[in-house]
Amino acid sequence: MATKAFPLNAWYAAAWDAELRHELLPRTLANKKIVMFRRSDSRPAALEDACWHRLLPLSKGRLKGDEVVCGYHGLIYDAHGRCTFMPSQETINPAACVRAFPIEERHRFVWVWPGDPALADPALIPDLHWNDDPHWAGDGRTIHVKCDYRLVVDNLMDLTHETFVHGSSIGNDAVAEAPFDVTHGNRTATVTRWMKDIDPPPFWAGQLGKPGKVDRWQIIRFEAPCTIAIDVGVAPAGTGAPEGDRSQGVNGYVLNTISPETDSSCHYFWAFVRNYRLGDQRLTTELRDGVSRIFREDELILEAQQKAIEEHPDHIFYNLNIDAGAMWARRLIDRMLAAEGATGTGLRAAE
Amino acid sequence: MATKAFPLNAWYAAAWDAELRHELLPRTLANKKIVMFRRSDSRPAALEDACWHRLLPLSKGRLKGDEVVCGYHGLIYDAHGRCTFMPSQETINPAACVRAFPIEERHRFVWVWPGDPALADPALIPDLHWNDDPHWAGDGRTIHVKCDYRLVVDNLMDLTHETFVHGSSIGNDAVAEAPFDVTHGNRTATVTRWMKDIDPPPFWAGQLGKPGKVDRWQIIRFEAPCTIAIDVGVAPAGTGAPEGDRSQGVNGYVLNTISPETDSSCHYFWAFVRNYRLGDQRLTTELRDGVSRIFREDELILEAQQKAIEEHPDHIFYNLNIDAGAMWARRLIDRMLAAEGATGTGLRAAE
Amino acid sequence: MATKAFPLNAWYAAAWDAELRHELLPRTLANKKIVMFRRSDSRPAALEDACWHRLLPLSKGRLKGDEVVCGYHGLIYDAHGRCTFMPSQETINPAACVRAFPIEERHRFVWVWPGDPALADPALIPDLHWNDDPHWAGDGRTIHVKCDYRLVVDNLMDLTHETFVHGSSIGNDAVAEAPFDVTHGNRTATVTRWMKDIDPPPFWAGQLGKPGKVDRWQIIRFEAPCTIAIDVGVAPAGTGAPEGDRSQGVNGYVLNTISPETDSSCHYFWAFVRNYRLGDQRLTTELRDGVSRIFREDELILEAQQKAIEEHPDHIFYNLNIDAGAMWARRLIDRMLAAEGATGTGLRAAE
């Protein structure tokens, strides 16, 4: 069995909705060079970014209506990848086509399926519905991180790192000290951590706007292979949040989907949405910029970790208690890889 | 048989005449590091650019008369590569020498033969005589392109790309639509295209300076392995140019010789010369700068194509009608390679 | 036997004394990533720069007292590399440790032993005592050179290169012309060159401050694998310096220790000390800056030589008379490598 970093039969976020216009947008996804564009009716299209004739990236050419004109010799392809024009000749070689990829738009992202098109069921698009739900408001960004996407998954599945990496904003000792539960299904794993009756960290104290101790929650939901929605928030201590009444508190979701670009780089799409002060655009901007600063701290750590892993190809990794969530995420990824006849090239764990 | 990108037994342009002075000029040609200089009597010399003793590039040293002094320990080599001085010792090891390369100056270029010196017949220097013929005036430049030199050959052997790459200057639909003929000899291949009774593209309309339809010609002459002289021009339609009377028209030559630097980079020497307004130095400058802008468009395409080819090592290339000239050029290159016991590493063509 | 560029069982200078403070200092030495710091009592410590848990470089974390806190999940290591804290758990895996390296401070340098700790005898630290001897004054710097450390050793063992590389300062024809002696012991090799009754080069004329001819000496002492102390100076000709009376002259030591960073790069620590005008800080500064300029000339040569050697993997090197000292240095390095069951990857010499 070959080793691979990611399954091909999966929907990967390839762009934000607003990024994709009626123009050619090149992007590498799952080691494949892809060119995307919106058609006149706004439906997205995705083609292999290499002309059949001499391999020039089609993204160096231009759109003509809903077709792509190669920038070298002028071959034209329709949105299905079929060649419709060749220069200086009447007949078109029927083999002349480039690969078209299944593409769908949902939850403010454009999703591409790099694997077998016959398996590309839109029902399998990961659930990030909070991102275009009128009961939630917020925005996000994309970070290009030079690491295996699984290192980002590890990072998000264990938030004790907040204490050490993000101590000035969202981390405090309580995160590292509080116990947590891990559950899992066939495609999902969930880490639940309640920190009861604690001093809120600076970020949440500001959001709540009330003095005193809080009950804080972090409920991390992983959906294989690379989507993580984190239900986060605080409520005044003792007002019933752990039992289900969050009405006195503030609630947000950190939405993350981390698409492999290559074996050692990824496009990390994230958004932060909240269920309070929905129309406050200044707050939306402040939160987006604040989370950007926090994720920049992770980015430096993750890229240093990727380099270190490449420098220690034989290192055997031992897991701590805090790694329980990440271990489940990796198991679910490995199952998808096994279903494609491949094995993961993840961390060599001692067990 | 080993695969190679270029024959070694060939004259390759290594420098413009004005580039080579009485000083050390390093350049990589056909994967060989070479140092060139002019002797006191202006004859050029070319040596391997690595001292026999500790390999320091001789180009880091200096000229002393017509000899090269190594910049590390002071070994001295004459223009034939023989060591004539060693520090701190009387006797000189008779094996102490660096390789000297056959070198000739002709048609405003300095030509170097990287292969077997016994085969270096100056009669084999490619014909670019227009470049120092008093009936023609013009100038040129060198472009360093990060691609296999054969991609530049392909580019020049099919000018339909003008329509798509250079639409704002020399390209128009007529180029892609007009039929053409291909003929070949043992070392040459010629593509002839006449576009009769057409609207001239902006560039040629300006050169001709007369209104109305034109007959336009492009006669591309390839001389293996990498020299291409293109006879180009327009004459008022119906004044007899296709039959041989170009007296009412304007005529230029695009002179090109593309020397491999490495397997995936080249020194592209070009000039544009004309047979009209010979003393108009402003026009010479304008044409040189104008052609530079056009070739810059090709450079971007060629480097993108090189990267794409490296990323698709198994791609099978199909040829279109427009590729007939390039196919012949590559066949002639492959013959030269076969004569050296090598096979080309060109595009894998389906045939 | 494996081939290696350097022995592991040796003390290598890793930092200047003043560089190492109570903070984390990362450095690569002998292909090992190391993080160093001073403890509260000023003793140095050196650990492997990779957390046992997920390999994040410990240098990305912070010091807490005399322990290192990992910047990702907060694991803590003491100065011996033992883990003393893990997040969210009471028990600590007893295997959790990072490697600690023997480290000593002497002669103004901090020395690290990358090999077997049981063999790390401080008595083996190379002799550079002039660097903190009250009878000598001076200072130095570190140069990062992108070459095999042995090329720097070669450079220093044959000073005839001064004539060709440093002609404007310390070189003159006498260096290349004067005879020299080579002697050696088990770990040392010495090259002695006296240039009697010569015109001093510009540098030494200025230091001596007296007109007339001089006797000049260069006594190069190599201590395997990479330390070279050069006793240099001039005295008025005929005042007895060659016979042992240097009282009319000026004397300096060029102290050099060149620690391999990787197989093809090194940290070159050097100092220039003198036994005259000891309290003249302006002179100390001028000499340090002047020698820096001279060594910059060597650096350009050495990096060009390294690239050339990599480009000519099969080149066979012939030795000249001037290479006698370097040949002995390399023999002594090869003996150390053989003792570790490895062979050198030095220059392939014809013999």
Side-chain angles (χ1 to χ4, degrees), chain B residues 308-336:
Chain B
I309 289 173
E310 291 172 5
E311 289 163 5
H312 295 76
D314 299 322
H315 190 84
I316 290 174
F317 290 85
Y318 290 83
N319 290 311
L320 306 182
N321 293 353
I322 58 172
D323 297 313
M327 284 168 64
W328 267 108
R330 286 183 171 258
R331 274 189 200 127
L332 296 175
I333 293 170
D334 286 346
R335 282 187 196 167
M336 292 183 78

mmCIF file of all heavy atoms in Angstrom, chain B residues 308-336:
data_model
loop_
_atom_site.group_PDB
_atom_site.id
_atom_site.type_symbol
_atom_site.label_atom_id
_atom_site.label_comp_id
_atom_site.label_asym_id
_atom_site.label_seq_id
_atom_site.Cartn_x
_atom_site.Cartn_y
_atom_site.Cartn_z
ATOM 1 N N ALA B 308 5.582 23.349 -16.018
ATOM 2 C CA ALA B 308 4.485 22.396 -16.194
ATOM 3 C C ALA B 308 4.995 21.063 -16.737
ATOM 4 O O ALA B 308 4.535 19.998 -16.327
ATOM 5 C CB ALA B 308 3.429 22.992 -17.119
ATOM 6 N N ILE B 309 5.941 21.101 -17.655
ATOM 7 C CA ILE B 309 6.494 19.856 -18.212
ATOM 8 C C ILE B 309 7.203 19.063 -17.120
ATOM 9 O O ILE B 309 7.058 17.839 -17.010
ATOM 10 C CB ILE B 309 7.432 20.166 -19.393
ATOM 11 C CG1 ILE B 309 6.601 20.655 -20.589
ATOM 12 C CG2 ILE B 309 8.262 18.933 -19.780
ATOM 13 C CD1 ILE B 309 7.433 21.157 -21.762
ATOM 14 N N GLU B 310 7.957 19.756 -16.266
ATOM 15 C CA GLU B 310 8.640 19.054 -15.171
ATOM 16 C C GLU B 310 7.643 18.443 -14.199
ATOM 17 O O GLU B 310 7.903 17.399 -13.610
ATOM 18 C CB GLU B 310 9.580 20.023 -14.444
ATOM 19 C CG GLU B 310 10.774 20.430 -15.313
ATOM 20 C CD GLU B 310 11.626 21.536 -14.700
ATOM 21 O OE1 GLU B 310 11.349 21.943 -13.550
ATOM 22 O OE2 GLU B 310 12.568 21.996 -15.377
ATOM 23 N N GLU B 311 6.486 19.086 -14.056
ATOM 24 C CA GLU B 311 5.474 18.561 -13.139
ATOM 25 C C GLU B 311 4.666 17.413 -13.746
ATOM 26 O O GLU B 311 3.941 16.728 -13.037
ATOM 27 C CB GLU B 311 4.515 19.683 -12.729
ATOM 28 C CG GLU B 311 5.151 20.698 -11.794
ATOM 29 C CD GLU B 311 4.357 21.992 -11.716
ATOM 30 O OE1 GLU B 311 3.267 22.057 -12.313
ATOM 31 O OE2 GLU B 311 4.832 22.940 -11.077
ATOM 32 N N HIS B 312 4.751 17.243 -15.053
ATOM 33 C CA HIS B 312 4.011 16.176 -15.739
ATOM 34 C C HIS B 312 4.990 15.292 -16.499
ATOM 35 O O HIS B 312 4.956 15.251 -17.737
ATOM 36 C CB HIS B 312 3.002 16.768 -16.732
ATOM 37 C CG HIS B 312 1.893 17.562 -16.111
ATOM 38 N ND1 HIS B 312 2.076 18.828 -15.626
ATOM 39 C CD2 HIS B 312 0.568 17.271 -15.900
ATOM 40 C CE1 HIS B 312 0.920 19.285 -15.158
ATOM 41 N NE2 HIS B 312 -0.002 18.359 -15.304
ATOM 42 N N PRO B 313 5.867 14.566 -15.802
ATOM 43 C CA PRO B 313 6.920 13.839 -16.529
ATOM 44 C C PRO B 313 6.376 12.781 -17.481
ATOM 45 O O PRO B 313 7.065 12.394 -18.418
ATOM 46 C CB PRO B 313 7.758 13.210 -15.412
ATOM 47 C CG PRO B 313 6.897 13.234 -14.204
ATOM 48 C CD PRO B 313 5.962 14.397 -14.356
ATOM 49 N N ASP B 314 5.150 12.317 -17.253
ATOM 50 C CA ASP B 314 4.628 11.237 -18.083
ATOM 51 C C ASP B 314 3.639 11.706 -19.134
ATOM 52 O O ASP B 314 3.017 10.890 -19.817
ATOM 53 C CB ASP B 314 3.955 10.184 -17.192
ATOM 54 C CG ASP B 314 4.945 9.583 -16.222
ATOM 55 O OD1 ASP B 314 6.108 9.370 -16.636
ATOM 56 O OD2 ASP B 314 4.571 9.337 -15.069
ATOM 57 N N HIS B 315 3.475 12.996 -19.252
ATOM 58 C CA HIS B 315 2.507 13.504 -20.229
ATOM 59 C C HIS B 315 2.911 13.099 -21.647
ATOM 60 O O HIS B 315 4.069 13.181 -22.024
ATOM 61 C CB HIS B 315 2.442 15.030 -20.132
ATOM 62 C CG HIS B 315 1.306 15.623 -20.915
ATOM 63 N ND1 HIS B 315 0.034 15.715 -20.417
ATOM 64 C CD2 HIS B 315 1.258 16.160 -22.158
ATOM 65 C CE1 HIS B 315 -0.750 16.291 -21.304
ATOM 66 N NE2 HIS B 315 -0.035 16.564 -22.377
ATOM 67 N N ILE B 316 1.928 12.645 -22.404
ATOM 68 C CA ILE B 316 2.171 12.337 -23.816
ATOM 69 C C ILE B 316 1.648 13.500 -24.648
ATOM 70 O O ILE B 316 0.510 13.945 -24.468
ATOM 71 C CB ILE B 316 1.480 11.021 -24.204
ATOM 72 C CG1 ILE B 316 2.207 9.868 -23.509
ATOM 73 C CG2 ILE B 316 1.496 10.837 -25.723
ATOM 74 C CD1 ILE B 316 1.545 8.534 -23.695
ATOM 75 N N PHE B 317 2.502 13.992 -25.511
ATOM 76 C CA PHE B 317 2.152 15.174 -26.289
ATOM 77 C C PHE B 317 1.618 14.772 -27.658
ATOM 78 O O PHE B 317 2.202 13.932 -28.342
ATOM 79 C CB PHE B 317 3.386 16.056 -26.456
ATOM 80 C CG PHE B 317 3.800 16.709 -25.167
ATOM 81 C CD1 PHE B 317 4.614 16.051 -24.256
ATOM 82 C CD2 PHE B 317 3.337 17.982 -24.846
ATOM 83 C CE1 PHE B 317 4.968 16.644 -23.050
ATOM 84 C CE2 PHE B 317 3.688 18.583 -23.653
ATOM 85 C CZ PHE B 317 4.495 17.907 -22.757
ATOM 86 N N TYR B 318 0.506 15.390 -28.030
ATOM 87 C CA TYR B 318 -0.057 15.203 -29.360
ATOM 88 C C TYR B 318 0.261 16.433 -30.187
ATOM 89 O O TYR B 318 0.252 17.548 -29.661
ATOM 90 C CB TYR B 318 -1.572 15.003 -29.278
ATOM 91 C CG TYR B 318 -1.943 13.682 -28.671
ATOM 92 C CD1 TYR B 318 -1.985 13.518 -27.291
ATOM 93 C CD2 TYR B 318 -2.245 12.587 -29.478
ATOM 94 C CE1 TYR B 318 -2.311 12.303 -26.715
ATOM 95 C CE2 TYR B 318 -2.575 11.368 -28.907
ATOM 96 C CZ TYR B 318 -2.603 11.233 -27.540
ATOM 97 O OH TYR B 318 -2.927 10.021 -26.982
ATOM 98 N N ASN B 319 0.518 16.225 -31.463
ATOM 99 C CA ASN B 319 0.851 17.345 -32.320
ATOM 100 C C ASN B 319 -0.350 17.799 -33.120
ATOM 101 O O ASN B 319 -1.137 16.992 -33.606
ATOM 102 C CB ASN B 319 1.988 16.953 -33.267
ATOM 103 C CG ASN B 319 3.281 16.786 -32.492
ATOM 104 O OD1 ASN B 319 3.647 17.645 -31.703
ATOM 105 N ND2 ASN B 319 3.955 15.662 -32.705
ATOM 106 N N LEU B 320 -0.438 19.104 -33.274
ATOM 107 C CA LEU B 320 -1.457 19.703 -34.117
ATOM 108 C C LEU B 320 -0.820 20.006 -35.479
ATOM 109 O O LEU B 320 0.405 19.913 -35.642
ATOM 110 C CB LEU B 320 -1.966 20.998 -33.483
ATOM 111 C CG LEU B 320 -2.473 20.889 -32.040
ATOM 112 C CD1 LEU B 320 -2.987 22.247 -31.568
ATOM 113 C CD2 LEU B 320 -3.583 19.847 -31.952
ATOM 114 N N ASN B 321 -1.631 20.420 -36.418
ATOM 115 C CA ASN B 321 -1.092 20.826 -37.717
ATOM 116 C C ASN B 321 -0.005 21.893 -37.543
ATOM 117 O O ASN B 321 1.023 21.867 -38.221
ATOM 118 C CB ASN B 321 -2.207 21.413 -38.596
ATOM 119 C CG ASN B 321 -3.231 20.347 -38.993
ATOM 120 O OD1 ASN B 321 -3.027 19.158 -38.710
ATOM 121 N ND2 ASN B 321 -4.312 20.781 -39.624
ATOM 122 N N ILE B 322 -0.249 22.830 -36.630
ATOM 123 C CA ILE B 322 0.693 23.942 -36.471
ATOM 124 C C ILE B 322 2.064 23.493 -35.992
ATOM 125 O O ILE B 322 3.024 24.257 -36.048
ATOM 126 C CB ILE B 322 0.146 24.988 -35.468
ATOM 127 C CG1 ILE B 322 -0.124 24.349 -34.103
ATOM 128 C CG2 ILE B 322 -1.090 25.672 -36.015
ATOM 129 C CD1 ILE B 322 -0.491 25.371 -33.011
ATOM 130 N N ASP B 323 2.174 22.262 -35.504
ATOM 131 C CA ASP B 323 3.443 21.799 -34.952
ATOM 132 C C ASP B 323 4.368 21.187 -35.999
ATOM 133 O O ASP B 323 5.443 20.681 -35.664
ATOM 134 C CB ASP B 323 3.174 20.757 -33.852
ATOM 135 C CG ASP B 323 2.396 21.368 -32.695
ATOM 136 O OD1 ASP B 323 2.788 22.470 -32.248
ATOM 137 O OD2 ASP B 323 1.418 20.759 -32.240
ATOM 138 N N ALA B 324 3.989 21.235 -37.265
ATOM 139 C CA ALA B 324 4.772 20.536 -38.296
ATOM 140 C C ALA B 324 6.218 21.042 -38.348
ATOM 141 O O ALA B 324 7.173 20.258 -38.454
ATOM 142 C CB ALA B 324 4.091 20.701 -39.658
ATOM 143 N N GLY B 325 6.401 22.351 -38.274
ATOM 144 C CA GLY B 325 7.760 22.892 -38.324
ATOM 145 C C GLY B 325 8.576 22.487 -37.114
ATOM 146 O O GLY B 325 9.738 22.054 -37.234
ATOM 147 N N ALA B 326 7.990 22.591 -35.926
ATOM 148 C CA ALA B 326 8.706 22.226 -34.709
ATOM 149 C C ALA B 326 9.069 20.745 -34.709
ATOM 150 O O ALA B 326 10.142 20.345 -34.246
ATOM 151 C CB ALA B 326 7.853 22.579 -33.492
ATOM 152 N N MET B 327 8.149 19.914 -35.271
ATOM 153 C CA MET B 327 8.454 18.475 -35.323
ATOM 154 C C MET B 327 9.712 18.220 -36.148
ATOM 155 O O MET B 327 10.553 17.404 -35.788
ATOM 156 C CB MET B 327 7.276 17.718 -35.909
ATOM 157 C CG MET B 327 6.125 17.543 -34.936
ATOM 158 S SD MET B 327 4.634 16.965 -35.786
ATOM 159 C CE MET B 327 5.185 15.352 -36.379
ATOM 160 N N TRP B 328 9.841 18.940 -37.262
ATOM 161 C CA TRP B 328 11.037 18.744 -38.073
ATOM 162 C C TRP B 328 12.290 19.250 -37.359
ATOM 163 O O TRP B 328 13.340 18.600 -37.397
ATOM 164 C CB TRP B 328 10.888 19.412 -39.445
ATOM 165 C CG TRP B 328 10.367 18.404 -40.409
ATOM 166 C CD1 TRP B 328 9.131 18.348 -40.957
ATOM 167 C CD2 TRP B 328 11.080 17.249 -40.860
ATOM 168 N NE1 TRP B 328 9.004 17.231 -41.734
ATOM 169 C CE2 TRP B 328 10.198 16.522 -41.698
ATOM 170 C CE3 TRP B 328 12.361 16.737 -40.642
ATOM 171 C CZ2 TRP B 328 10.566 15.334 -42.323
ATOM 172 C CZ3 TRP B 328 12.739 15.551 -41.252
ATOM 173 C CH2 TRP B 328 11.847 14.865 -42.082
ATOM 174 N N ALA B 329 12.171 20.352 -36.669
ATOM 175 C CA ALA B 329 13.332 20.853 -35.922
ATOM 176 C C ALA B 329 13.790 19.825 -34.897
ATOM 177 O O ALA B 329 14.975 19.509 -34.785
ATOM 178 C CB ALA B 329 12.978 22.177 -35.233
ATOM 179 N N ARG B 330 12.840 19.256 -34.197
ATOM 180 C CA ARG B 330 13.208 18.273 -33.179
ATOM 181 C C ARG B 330 13.775 16.992 -33.803
ATOM 182 O O ARG B 330 14.666 16.365 -33.224
ATOM 183 C CB ARG B 330 12.003 17.957 -32.290
ATOM 184 C CG ARG B 330 11.718 19.119 -31.330
ATOM 185 C CD ARG B 330 10.587 18.814 -30.391
ATOM 186 N NE ARG B 330 10.482 19.828 -29.358
ATOM 187 C CZ ARG B 330 10.913 19.686 -28.107
ATOM 188 N NH1 ARG B 330 11.474 18.559 -27.727
ATOM 189 N NH2 ARG B 330 10.778 20.665 -27.226
ATOM 190 N N ARG B 331 13.271 16.632 -34.968
ATOM 191 C CA ARG B 331 13.851 15.447 -35.621
ATOM 192 C C ARG B 331 15.310 15.691 -35.965
ATOM 193 O O ARG B 331 16.165 14.812 -35.819
ATOM 194 C CB ARG B 331 13.087 15.114 -36.896
ATOM 195 C CG ARG B 331 11.884 14.241 -36.641
ATOM 196 C CD ARG B 331 11.236 13.723 -37.921
ATOM 197 N NE ARG B 331 9.875 13.320 -37.601
ATOM 198 C CZ ARG B 331 8.797 13.732 -38.230
ATOM 199 N NH1 ARG B 331 8.902 14.556 -39.276
ATOM 200 N NH2 ARG B 331 7.607 13.320 -37.856
ATOM 201 N N LEU B 332 15.602 16.894 -36.436
ATOM 202 C CA LEU B 332 16.989 17.192 -36.810
ATOM 203 C C LEU B 332 17.890 17.256 -35.568
ATOM 204 O O LEU B 332 19.046 16.824 -35.597
ATOM 205 C CB LEU B 332 17.049 18.500 -37.604
ATOM 206 C CG LEU B 332 16.312 18.452 -38.958
ATOM 207 C CD1 LEU B 332 16.326 19.827 -39.622
ATOM 208 C CD2 LEU B 332 16.935 17.409 -39.888
ATOM 209 N N ILE B 333 17.361 17.778 -34.464
ATOM 210 C CA ILE B 333 18.132 17.766 -33.205
ATOM 211 C C ILE B 333 18.367 16.316 -32.781
ATOM 212 O O ILE B 333 19.478 15.934 -32.401
ATOM 213 C CB ILE B 333 17.381 18.539 -32.101
ATOM 214 C CG1 ILE B 333 17.314 20.031 -32.432
ATOM 215 C CG2 ILE B 333 18.054 18.322 -30.746
ATOM 216 C CD1 ILE B 333 16.388 20.834 -31.507
ATOM 217 N N ASP B 334 17.316 15.508 -32.853
ATOM 218 C CA ASP B 334 17.451 14.107 -32.438
ATOM 219 C C ASP B 334 18.485 13.371 -33.295
ATOM 220 O O ASP B 334 19.208 12.493 -32.786
ATOM 221 C CB ASP B 334 16.090 13.402 -32.492
ATOM 222 C CG ASP B 334 15.176 13.830 -31.351
ATOM 223 O OD1 ASP B 334 15.680 14.451 -30.391
ATOM 224 O OD2 ASP B 334 13.958 13.545 -31.415
ATOM 225 N N ARG B 335 18.576 13.720 -34.561
ATOM 226 C CA ARG B 335 19.601 13.083 -35.399
ATOM 227 C C ARG B 335 20.994 13.430 -34.900
ATOM 228 O O ARG B 335 21.887 12.584 -34.880
ATOM 229 C CB ARG B 335 19.470 13.568 -36.844
ATOM 230 C CG ARG B 335 18.350 12.894 -37.608
ATOM 231 C CD ARG B 335 18.423 13.307 -39.069
ATOM 232 N NE ARG B 335 17.176 13.004 -39.743
ATOM 233 C CZ ARG B 335 16.851 13.457 -40.941
ATOM 234 N NH1 ARG B 335 17.714 14.241 -41.604
ATOM 235 N NH2 ARG B 335 15.705 13.130 -41.497
ATOM 236 N N MET B 336 21.189 14.686 -34.525
ATOM 237 C CA MET B 336 22.503 15.078 -34.002
ATOM 238 C C MET B 336 22.802 14.326 -32.703
ATOM 239 O O MET B 336 23.934 13.891 -32.471
ATOM 240 C CB MET B 336 22.550 16.591 -33.746
ATOM 241 C CG MET B 336 22.497 17.428 -35.018
ATOM 242 S SD MET B 336 22.640 19.216 -34.683
ATOM 243 C CE MET B 336 24.412 19.365 -34.398
#
